Every structure is written in structure tokens, then in C-alpha cells.
Amino acid sequence: MFRDIVSLMNRRHWRVQLGIAAILPLLMLTGCRSKATGEAEPDPEVTVDVAPVLGTAISQKIASDAVIFPIQQSPVSSKISAPIKKLYVERGSRVHAGQLLAELESQDLNAAVNEAKAARDQADVAIQSVTAGVPHELSKVQIDIDRARAAVADQQRIFDARQALFKQGAIAEKDVKDAAFNLEQAKNQQKAAEARVQDFRGPAKDQEVKVAQANRDAAVRKIETAEVLLGYSRITSPIDGIVTDLPVFPGETAVSGMPIMTIMDLSRVVARAHVSPQEAAVLRPGMSANLIAPGASPIAGKVMQISPAVDAGATT
């Protein structure tokens, strides 16, 4: 086979030479000069485009369906049982913390507040009568004491004078005994007047003042309790958010402890997704993530937590 190839190449070589020999006379007749036999043909030029080499991280996209949960939500319930008088929001309303949401019937609560305030006013009057009247009463008692002392002094002089006359034989013994009796009565009246001072300054009066003050304190506490219950009739929002559930209507009874509406703060949400263990192995907290809802633009987020446990049912 090798010989056949060499023979074929030799035959092609002779054919090429014969062709050149036939063409040369034609070139000479036309007056064209041929190039030197030893001159080589120039190499063709080739254009090469050079681009810089860029280093980029190889990314892996992990997609999964997720269930969205609000970070903050609050069921709003009533602390008292009362009919709903008015609702100021409806489902889908955006509310702010402290905003009035509903109002309950509160006529009986207002009456309790007014009654407690009346009891406090009565206690104030009692305290004033006990404490403010003391100086006036003391001044009256002091006048009685002064009068009793003057009467004792007068009766003492009469007794001394009659006793001297009796010794002289000028009067009867009966007059001396009458003077002694009047002197003893004057002294008793003086002791009674002086004892009345202790009624205004002693422990009994202090106890009366304490009782009046205690009655006032009890009335004030009743006012505070009644006002707290009255405040429960006005239901306000504990957080900023949106009313997502409102199962009651005006006229229905709000039961204490039972939610009458639900408020969710949807400004930040948590998307809980199930991924395979192989995909979870490459995830790290802090990685960027996009939440894509139907018909909405992607919402930028990040991976917050990766469960270390595998769901036995879904193996994710």
C-alpha cells in the first residue's frame, strides 16, 4: 500500500509540472514576469480577539414552596363581658398601636364610677368635720374651763367667808354646808370641762380621724377600680398591622377572654420552606433569599434559620 501511495504522489507531481510547463509559455506571450523560483508566499494574516479573564462565584439556586407567617400578630380580646356598641374597623383595615377598634356598652360602668366618686366626696366631708371642727370646739371648751375655774374661785371665797363667820357665831352651820356643796359642784364642772379637751386631743379623736381617712381611701380605690373597668369598654390595637379576622358584629356580646378580631403585622414575614437534606447542607444563615409571590415583584430577604432536624414524614 505504501508503494501505491508513493507512485500516486509521483504521478500527481509530474502532472503538476506538466501543467506549469504548459502555462509558462502563455505567461511569456502575454508579457508577464514570473516570480523567482526561490521566493516564498507570505503567510495569511489571522485576527485574534483577546478578552480578560474574570473570576465569578458559582451560584446554586434553590427553589421551594413556602408558607408565610407574620413575625408579629395579636388576637384582640375583651377583658369584660358586654355587648358590642360600635366597631370602628373592618376586615382589611390598617390600624396603628393605640387606635380605638371597638367600644362596648358601659352605662353600668359609668354609674359605678359616679357612685364611687360620691362615696369619696362624703368621706372628704367627714374628714373635714372631724379635723376642721377641732379648733372651734377646743375654743368653746376652753371658755367653759375658764368659766368653771372662775366659779370655783368664787365659791371658794364664799366658803372661806362663811366658815369665818360661823367660827364667830354670826351664821348657822347650815350656811357653811351649803357653801361647801356649791364649791364641790363648781370643782366638778371644772373637771368635766377639762376632760372634754382630751376628747378632742386624745386617742379617741385620733381614732375617729383615722376611720374617716380610711373611708376616703376605700372610696378612692373603688373609683380606680371602676375607672379601670370603664376603660376596658374601649378596645384599642396593641400593635401596628392589618385586621385579618373580624368574626363579630355590633350588638353581639363580647365574652371576656375571647378574641373579637386578629391583627397581623405584615411589614415583615417569615417564609417557612421545606428543602432536601442535600440542599440544606449548602445553606447558611444570612444568605440572600427572594420571596416571590404570584403576580408580585420578588421581595429581598435572607435565610434566618435552618432546622437541624429532618422531617420524618417528608424527609426534608
Side-chain angles (χ1 to χ4, degrees):
M1 180 181 294
F2 179 75
R3 292 179 179 178
D4 295 339
I5 294 173
V6 173
S7 176
L8 179 60
M9 292 177 64
N10 290 335
R11 288 197 298 271
R12 290 180 178 177
H13 179 69
W14 283 106
R15 289 176 182 174
V16 173
Q17 288 182 351
L18 291 175
I20 294 174
I23 294 173
L24 285 176
L26 180 60
L27 296 175
M28 293 177 62
L29 291 175
T30 58
C32 296
R33 296 182 179 180
S34 63
K35 296 182 179 180
T37 305
E39 186 177 357
E41 291 290 334
D43 296 333
E45 295 182 358
V46 179
T47 303
V48 178
D49 294 332
V50 180
V53 179
L54 301 177
T56 58
I58 299 176
S59 61
Q60 180 180 0
K61 292 185 177 180
I62 299 175
S64 177
D65 294 335
V67 180
I68 297 177
F69 299 90
I71 290 183
Q72 189 178 18
Q73 67 176 359
S74 176
V76 180
S77 59
S78 173
K79 295 183 179 180
I80 59 175
S81 296
I84 299 176
K85 181 179 180 180
K86 188 174 182 181
L87 291 173
Y88 295 94
V89 295
E90 58 186 13
R91 186 174 299 179
S93 299
R94 185 175 297 274
V95 298
H96 304 283
Q99 179 177 339
L100 182 62
L101 304 177
E103 190 173 357
L104 307 180
E105 294 291 346
S106 59
Q107 294 180 355
D108 54 341
L109 299 177
N110 281 317
V113 171
N114 295 332
E115 183 179 356
K117 289 182 178 180
R120 181 200 57 190
D121 295 340
Q122 290 179 354
D124 289 336
V125 172
I127 293 175
Q128 291 177 359
S129 64
V130 172
T131 58
V134 169
H136 178 66
E137 294 294 335
L138 285 176
S139 62
K140 291 173 59 177
V141 172
Q142 188 62 44
I143 293 174
D144 294 339
I145 292 174
D146 294 339
R147 289 176 178 175
R149 288 175 179 175
V152 169
D154 292 339
Q155 293 299 326
Q156 185 67 46
R157 286 193 297 270
I158 294 172
F159 174 75
D160 293 340
R162 287 186 180 184
Q163 191 174 21
L165 292 174
F166 174 73
K167 289 179 181 181
Q168 295 175 7
I171 59 174
E173 183 180 3
K174 180 179 178 299
D175 294 333
V176 176
K177 290 182 178 180
D178 291 341
F181 177 77
N182 294 334
L183 175 61
E184 190 64 26
Q185 280 190 335
K187 289 182 178 179
N188 291 334
Q189 291 178 358
Q190 179 181 350
K191 291 179 180 179
E194 291 175 348
R196 290 178 59 190
V197 175
Q198 300 301 323
D199 293 340
F200 292 97
R201 295 179 178 177
K205 197 64 176 182
D206 294 339
Q207 186 65 26
E208 187 178 355
V209 173
K210 290 180 180 179
V211 171
Q213 186 65 44
N215 291 335
R216 186 186 186 282
D217 294 340
V220 170
R221 285 193 295 269
K222 287 183 179 179
I223 293 175
E224 294 174 352
T225 302
E227 288 180 343
V228 169
L229 293 176
L230 180 61
Y232 289 158
S233 65
R234 296 172 57 86
I235 301 175
T236 58
S237 176
I239 61 173
D240 295 342
I242 297 175
V243 179
T244 58
D245 188 23
L246 184 60
V248 297
F249 297 92
E252 296 183 11
T253 299
V255 181
S256 176
M258 297 297 293
I260 62 174
M261 66 182 69
T262 302
I263 298 176
M264 293 185 180
D265 181 7
L266 301 179
S267 60
R268 296 182 64 201
V269 296
V270 173
R272 184 178 299 172
H274 291 267
V275 296
S276 65
Q278 293 79 12
E279 293 174 332
V282 300
L283 295 176
R284 297 290 183 274
M287 287 184 172
S288 299
N290 288 325
L291 180 63
I292 303 176
S297 301
I299 301 174
K302 65 179 180 179
V303 178
M304 296 178 59
Q305 184 180 6
I306 303 170
S307 175
V310 177
D311 186 350
T315 65
T316 56

